[in-house]
Amino acid sequence: MPEGPEIRRAADRLHEQLAGRRLESVWFAFPELAAEADSLMGREVTAVDSWGKALLTRFDDGRVLYSHNQLYGVWKLHDAEREPDTERSLRVRLTAEGRSASLYSASDVSLWPADRLAEHPFLSRLGPDLLTHGVTPEQAMARLTEPRFARRRLGGLLLDQAPFAGIGNYLRSEILFFAGLPPTARMVDLNAERQARLAQTILDVTRQAYEQAGVTNRAEWAADAKRQGESRRLCRFAVFERDGRPCHACGTPIERLMVASRRLYRCPSCQPG
């Protein structure tokens, strides 16, 4: 399941394909949107960004196309004259100056005035996006120490999209490892130094995953794992999916737990309970 960094990278690709160009063709499979298609003709795509797992395509008249890929949705980028090779069901197609972006298989798509996005039933439940909204370490720490979050165990809290949008299962394990915290830790029980370290780690690990296409491991650890013949999937992580393998930092076998009904990986020595 893609997490915030993967969705942000998809937004970047859509932005490169469409932004700064005027729409010459708009097609929607959904009847309620099809009626709006003509009103978007000639509009310029000003930006494409993300909020959690939602993609937001912004137009110069102040409207925003909200789309959520859910489990099966996928955007395909292509020349307007060349149809993608797929058997998926087309849901949305935007064409601007010879370039097309086609959304397949998704069902959660809607058009919103930008100033009403906060009323969207999904977005209204999300915290700020760690990659889109310019969250600072100070803001991250302040949010985590809010009364509604401070007494919750981090293993569950980090998957809740209310503090921050975009953290999923692999990021949760990697963040806790690099922060040196077990999933049972709570912000209220940490001193200011460890709170600040967690806030900075959340930002650093998420940013690295975005910049390095899902890689959260340290470069030297990944290189060593590669020399030992590990797959790229294993090399890219410090602890996630590495159960039974030695911790890169201390050699202790990584363990797998179930926390908040999702698998979590940790080093018992580096993240003592």
Side-chain angles (χ1 to χ4, degrees):
M1 176 70 71
E3 301 182 19
E6 289 73 37
I7 301 301
R8 179 67 213 201
R9 289 173 69 89
D12 289 349
R13 293 191 290 272
L14 275 169
H15 180 90
E16 184 177 353
Q17 182 83 341
L18 298 175
R21 296 176 172 85
R22 293 195 176 275
L23 294 169
E24 55 195 24
S25 177
V26 179
W27 185 87
F28 296 112
F30 311 100
E32 65 275 16
L33 287 177
E36 303 284 343
D38 287 347
S39 69
L40 288 171
M41 296 287 287
R43 302 259 60 103
E44 180 181 324
V45 178
T46 58
V48 183
D49 54 47
S50 60
W51 191 346
K53 295 185 178 181
L55 284 170
L56 303 175
T57 304
R58 301 177 183 273
F59 307 108
D60 63 357
D61 64 351
R63 286 182 290 176
V64 181
L65 182 68
Y66 166 95
S67 62
H68 195 300
N69 287 0
Q70 300 171 304
L71 286 176
Y72 304 110
V74 61
W75 281 95
K76 291 183 176 290
L77 310 182
H78 56 99
D79 293 335
E81 303 297 324
R82 189 172 183 177
E83 194 77 15
D85 183 14
T86 180
E87 296 182 359
R88 292 171 175 265
S89 299
L90 181 63
R91 304 302 191 190
V92 176
R93 176 164 291 166
L94 305 176
T95 300
E97 300 177 17
R99 300 186 179 189
S100 292
S102 298
L103 176 61
Y104 293 89
S105 303
S107 58
D108 191 2
V109 183
S110 52
L111 198 59
W112 289 75
D115 59 3
R116 290 186 55 205
L117 271 180
E119 302 173 21
H120 187 282
F122 175 70
L123 297 179
S124 63
R125 302 196 302 269
L126 300 183
D129 186 281
L130 291 163
L131 294 168
T132 299
H133 296 144
V135 179
T136 66
E138 294 76 20
Q139 290 170 336
M141 183 170 167
R143 192 160 183 83
L144 288 168
T145 53
E146 290 180 15
R148 57 179 170 153
F149 302 135
R151 293 187 175 277
R152 292 181 58 186
R153 297 182 188 276
L154 293 173
L157 179 63
L158 289 178
L159 288 186
D160 188 336
Q161 301 299 291
F164 307 107
I167 297 177
N169 215 31
Y170 84 80
L171 283 177
R172 172 181 68 162
S173 290
E174 298 291 288
I175 287 167
L176 289 174
F177 171 75
F178 283 112
L181 295 171
T184 53
R186 305 184 305 169
M187 283 295 284
V188 71
D189 298 324
L190 304 179
N191 61 31
E193 180 181 355
R194 300 198 79 185
Q195 289 179 349
R197 179 183 176 186
L198 173 62
Q200 186 67 60
T201 300
I202 288 172
L203 298 177
D204 289 347
V205 172
T206 303
R207 172 61 59 173
Q208 179 180 328
Y210 163 65
E211 293 177 347
Q212 298 185 24
V215 176
T216 52
N217 205 359
R218 291 181 180 172
E220 62 271 26
W221 291 350
D224 184 61
K226 184 177 181 180
R227 284 192 295 269
Q228 295 181 41
E230 292 189 9
S231 66
R232 181 190 181 278
R233 182 171 181 83
L234 287 176
C235 291
R236 62 186 276 205
F237 299 125
V239 292
F240 188 72
E241 293 188 332
R242 295 186 58 83
D243 48 312
R245 291 176 170 81
C247 172
H248 292 298
C250 71
T252 302
I254 300 300
E255 64 178 17
R256 169 177 164 157
L257 311 172
M258 292 299 291
V259 178
S261 301
R262 303 285 299 279
R263 56 201 171 103
L264 181 144
Y265 301 81
R266 74 155 187 164
C267 171
S269 297
C270 296
Q271 303 164 259

